[in-house]
Amino acid sequence: MTLNDVLILCAGRLSPADALSMELECLHITEDSRKVVKGSLFVAIKGDHVDGNAFIPQARSQGAVAFITENESAEPNDLPRVIVAHARKALGLI
């Protein structure tokens, strides 16, 4: 699945700096940073007690190629980010 496919499925948008990443392949999708493998798309879900955005650096270090977030200013800036209204819903749609 490419980032373009992800954008279509979850009605998300790429940050402007990531527009060239549309054809990036995502081989695995997870919201659990402990399960990220090389080529993963990490979905950062904000829960009642834990904010998945805090685990984006860990996901990156484990091989994530992009991430989905509701937070437009989520770091790091060196990974493509798909911005959505509801990350949990986006995960379900994908």
Side-chain angles (χ1 to χ4, degrees):
M1 174 178 289
T2 66
L3 273 187
N4 189 52
D5 297 329
V6 170
L7 292 170
I8 292 168
L9 287 171
C10 66
R13 63 183 174 80
L14 281 174
S15 60
D18 300 324
L20 298 176
S21 302
M22 298 284 281
E23 296 305 316
L24 183 67
E25 276 293 320
C26 302
L27 305 174
H28 178 254
I29 301 167
T30 185
E31 79 284 2
D32 186 338
S33 60
R34 297 168 296 183
K35 295 182 180 178
V36 170
V37 296
K38 187 176 180 180
S40 290
L41 172 65
F42 177 65
V43 183
I45 297 175
K46 185 172 183 177
D48 292 333
H49 303 288
V50 179
D51 184 352
N53 288 289
F55 298 97
I56 294 169
Q58 176 185 346
R60 178 185 66 190
S61 71
Q62 291 177 213
V65 294
F67 63 98
I68 292 178
T69 183
E70 297 169 8
N71 182 352
E72 289 197 39
S73 60
E75 297 286 335
N77 290 326
D78 63 342
L79 274 186
R81 70 187 138 197
V82 176
I83 302 161
V84 297
H86 303 284
R88 188 178 309 276
K89 182 177 178 181
L91 177 62
L93 292 170
I94 296 169

